[in-house]
Amino acid sequence: MGTPHPLRRTAVALLIAVALASTPSAVATGRQDSVWRGAWAASPQAPSAPGWSPRGFEGHTVRQVVRVTAGGDRTRIELTNRYGSTPLRIAGATVARAARGGAVEPGSVRHLRFGGRESATVPAGGTLLSDAARFPVEAFDALAVTLHLAEATGPATFHRVASATAYRAAGDHRADASGEAFRETGGSWYLLSGVEVSGGREAGRRDGVVAFGDSLTDGVGSTPDADGRYPDELAERLAAAGRPRAVLNHGISGNRVLSDGPRVGEKALDRFRKDVLTERGVRTVVLLEGINDIGFRPPGSPAGAAPGVSAEQLAEGHLALIREARARGLRVVGATLTPVKGSGYDSPANEAVRDAFNHWVRTSGAYDAVIDFDRALADPADPDRFLPAYDSGDGLHPNDAGYRAMAEAVDPDLL
């Protein structure tokens, strides 16, 4: 992601610093320092094309830039091998402050350790946290996480749509400040599923937000490397309002509530406990998912085919997620499904299900609160369609302005 908006980042960082200075916070005792909280996240997916995932890596260094939404004086990363069939060997890893492209700020590189060692093995199907690094970060800092993968990894667990650039080099370049060796680029995140922080001014805070959903949470239609997804914009909005919160993005493009599918991740009913309920320092989850259940048609289906699910089936799926969240003490905020007119999902039958489900979201009382993304993005002259200023061009996904409008539709008191 680099530093595409330095003025915006600086302004937001100043706002968050002022807010924290004026708001009572936990005293950084030893016990509170040990409380970790999520600062960035991406939901793992099974290897698939396109990109580097199907073949994996061998003799490569991969550098990935992520923007955290919480600060602390210690940092650690989470590596994932959830869909790997063999143990994943990491020869070494570093964290640094990102600069332009694949470069990092000189002097900022810190080598990470795993159980005190430079190398690590992530078991097949598992995850691994690095040791804590004395690497202070502030909310909205861009970090470069660099992995050296000397041995063949086999097909690599990844997150398909990053809306960000990953960089790859041959050989060991994990400590390079220059980005010169990183001559290959990709559009996914690989083997990295989280960044956590502890200590600092925010020590002891456990009020993070998870945005859970599909491509509208993942940020399809936003400008790559610009941190313009709605969860990014929401984190900035909360900081600007003097109410800073970590916001973690667990969207997967194409994801469905009730059914799995190639390249779209496990269904929400299965991945929710792995992606959301394992996050540290979280208080609230926002559920925005279901449009792919309604609109997806198997290849060869006629254009007027019946919707994939009914509004009642989709509501039952959401109720199951709500039960799981509340069993862990999480607050649950529901969100209406956004317009689809003019998109590939547009049909009278699909629109009837979308309208019925949105009515249930607004009136059922099933959630602790509701966000009406549908009305926030709709064209008042044609409410089944995006306002043209918010449409990325496909009638289904917002552009940067649309994602900002989604963030602005969230009342901070709901979270």
Side-chain angles (χ1 to χ4, degrees):
M1 279 168 269
T3 54
H5 300 303
L7 293 176
R8 184 174 74 170
R9 178 176 294 138
T10 300
V12 172
L14 288 171
L15 285 165
I16 197 169
V18 170
L20 287 168
S22 62
T23 303
S25 61
V27 177
T29 65
R31 179 184 65 80
Q32 289 164 323
D33 265 349
S34 67
V35 175
W36 290 91
R37 53 200 178 275
W40 174 87
S43 293
Q45 294 179 248
S48 70
W52 304 325
S53 177
R55 294 188 63 180
F57 306 96
E58 183 176 9
H60 292 114
T61 300
V62 180
R63 177 164 287 172
Q64 303 174 85
V65 179
V66 302
R67 188 179 76 156
V68 296
T69 56
D73 56 25
R74 291 185 294 177
T75 304
R76 67 184 184 185
I77 66 171
E78 181 185 76
L79 300 176
T80 178
N81 192 24
R82 182 184 293 180
Y83 300 103
S85 58
T86 59
L88 169 67
R89 183 73 171 171
I90 306 293
T94 61
V95 63
R97 303 194 184 283
R100 293 285 180 181
V104 301
E105 293 182 9
S108 71
V109 175
R110 299 291 182 271
H111 286 266
L112 297 172
R113 297 290 185 268
F114 301 86
R117 299 181 178 181
E118 195 170 82
S119 62
T121 299
V122 189
T127 61
L128 181 68
L129 287 163
S130 72
D131 298 343
R134 286 285 179 184
F135 187 82
V137 299
E138 299 288 342
F140 309 111
D141 280 352
L143 309 184
V145 177
T146 308
L147 308 177
H148 179 216
L149 304 156
E151 302 176 17
T153 64
T157 299
F158 80 141
H159 182 88
R160 184 167 59 89
V161 178
S163 296
T165 304
Y167 302 89
R168 185 167 77 167
D172 183 3
H173 295 278
R174 69 191 120 150
D176 287 17
S178 166
E180 184 177 349
F182 294 91
R183 297 179 181 178
E184 296 180 82
T185 59
S188 302
W189 281 308
Y190 298 91
L191 307 173
L192 179 67
S193 53
V195 175
E196 296 184 348
V197 296
S198 70
R201 290 190 303 250
E202 300 177 57
R205 295 190 67 156
R206 305 190 64 82
D207 59 358
V209 179
V210 171
F212 184 80
D214 49 39
S215 55
L216 275 82
T217 300
D218 215 4
V220 171
S222 66
T223 300
D225 297 315
D227 301 306
R229 314 163 194 86
Y230 107 74
D232 300 315
E233 298 287 354
L234 176 59
E236 293 188 11
R237 168 171 159 72
L238 294 171
R243 304 172 72 170
R245 309 272 287 276
V247 181
L248 307 178
N249 190 329
H250 275 295
I252 293 181
S253 296
N255 198 233
R256 301 193 289 263
V257 176
L258 302 174
S259 58
D260 302 320
R263 302 180 66 205
V264 300
E266 293 182 56
K267 62 186 177 184
L269 290 176
D270 288 342
R271 75 180 183 93
F272 189 79
R273 63 185 64 91
K274 304 172 189 177
D275 291 347
V276 176
L277 302 185
T278 57
E279 286 290 359
R280 297 169 178 85
V282 167
R283 186 176 77 184
T284 304
V285 57
V286 179
L287 301 181
L288 171 59
E289 186 147 16
I291 200 62
N292 295 311
D293 295 77
I294 296 170
F296 174 77
R297 292 190 301 269
S301 299
V309 302
S310 67
E312 292 76 15
Q313 289 171 313
L314 201 51
E316 285 298 321
H318 271 239
L319 287 170
L321 298 176
I322 291 168
R323 287 192 293 269
E324 285 199 62
R326 286 182 173 157
R328 295 295 184 91
L330 297 181
R331 179 176 174 80
V332 186
V333 177
T336 53
L337 303 181
T338 54
V340 298
K341 189 172 182 179
S343 77
Y345 284 179
D346 182 11
S347 76
N350 287 354
E351 185 60 34
V353 175
R354 188 182 77 92
D355 285 346
F357 178 71
N358 280 350
H359 178 75
W360 180 84
V361 171
R362 294 180 181 115
T363 64
S364 67
Y367 309 95
D368 294 293
V370 170
I371 302 168
D372 206 330
F373 287 143
D374 176 34
R375 289 173 178 161
L377 295 179
D379 184 344
D382 189 357
D384 294 336
R385 185 187 296 273
F386 273 123
L387 187 73
Y390 294 156
D391 189 353
S392 68
D394 65 3
L396 187 63
H397 300 98
N399 57 18
D400 291 343
Y403 284 122
R404 283 193 295 273
M406 289 175 69
E408 289 165 3
V410 180
D411 181 347
D413 288 336
L414 300 182
L415 305 176

